[in-house]
Amino acid sequence: MAPIAVGDTIPEGTLSYFDENDQLQQVSVHSLAAGKKVIIFGVPGAFTPTCSLKHVPGYVEKAEELKSKGVAEVICISVNDPFVMKAWAKTFPENKHVKFLADGSATYTHALGLELNLSDKGLGVRSRRFAILVEDLKVKAANIESGGEFTCSSADDVLKAL
């Protein structure tokens, strides 16, 4: 399956998270993105070095600037379960705007065409690192990394596309 690209409509899918009352919730991706400008960025794994030290912190730090440019939602997805995503989100106490959503079985990641098979490293199927800018369900920018690189999917890279 070809990776999601500029001009495509993002697929519908369901992701999981724990709400402020610590209740497990499911959310439709289309409900988060319909009629809005959103950023969906994906990482290979919670608590991994590049994801935790570079990728997520950039979005946490730039969230206000992204919002000032009309971005309604900043969504981080990873092929992890919602318990892991909740614990990982807590490691960013300064975060006010980035939503951490779980794609536990990589179903949504597969629908995007962005799965990364890391079975040879004992990690199973994960997500490629990426950032997509979506306006009313249509992809306006698709910054998709190769392998484990971190060269085009940062918050600064997305800001250039706004």
Side-chain angles (χ1 to χ4, degrees), residues 67-100:
K67 294 247 178 205
S68 76
K69 294 188 178 284
V71 173
E73 300 280 0
V74 180
I75 301 161
C76 174
I77 68 172
S78 184
V79 180
N80 288 108
D81 66 62
F83 296 94
V84 169
M85 292 299 280
K86 176 178 85 169
W88 193 35
K90 287 180 179 178
T91 68
F92 302 98
E94 68 281 14
N95 179 42
K96 292 179 180 55
H97 300 294
V98 177
K99 284 185 166 60
F100 287 76

Side-chain angles (χ1 to χ4, degrees), residues 14-17 24-26 44 76-85 100-110 123-127:
T14 302
L15 300 170
S16 303
Y17 68 100
L24 183 61
Q25 302 292 329
Q26 306 248 331
C76 174
I77 68 172
S78 184
V79 180
N80 288 108
D81 66 62
F83 296 94
V84 169
M85 292 299 280
F100 287 76
L101 302 180
D103 183 20
S105 299
T107 305
Y108 193 71
T109 300
H110 179 74
L123 299 172
V125 174
R126 298 296 181 125
S127 172

Side-chain angles (χ1 to χ4, degrees), residues 45-71:
F47 295 105
T48 57
T50 302
C51 305
S52 295
L53 300 175
K54 296 179 182 172
H55 206 179
V56 171
Y59 283 96
V60 170
E61 291 165 14
K62 302 284 184 175
E64 293 288 342
E65 189 174 351
L66 292 163
K67 294 247 178 205
S68 76
K69 294 188 178 284
V71 173

Side-chain angles (χ1 to χ4, degrees), residues 96-161:
K96 292 179 180 55
H97 300 294
V98 177
K99 284 185 166 60
F100 287 76
L101 302 180
D103 183 20
S105 299
T107 305
Y108 193 71
T109 300
H110 179 74
L112 291 171
L114 296 175
E115 63 274 12
L116 177 64
N117 190 339
L118 296 175
S119 295
D120 61 332
K121 294 180 170 72
L123 299 172
V125 174
R126 298 296 181 125
S127 172
R128 289 170 66 181
R129 187 179 311 283
F130 69 89
I132 54 177
L133 173 62
V134 177
E135 285 187 42
D136 194 21
L137 306 179
K138 293 281 186 197
V139 178
K140 297 298 182 186
N143 299 356
I144 301 167
E145 305 281 4
S146 296
E149 294 181 359
F150 181 53
T151 59
C152 68
S153 63
S154 71
D156 284 329
D157 293 316
V158 173
L159 278 165
K160 292 174 195 165

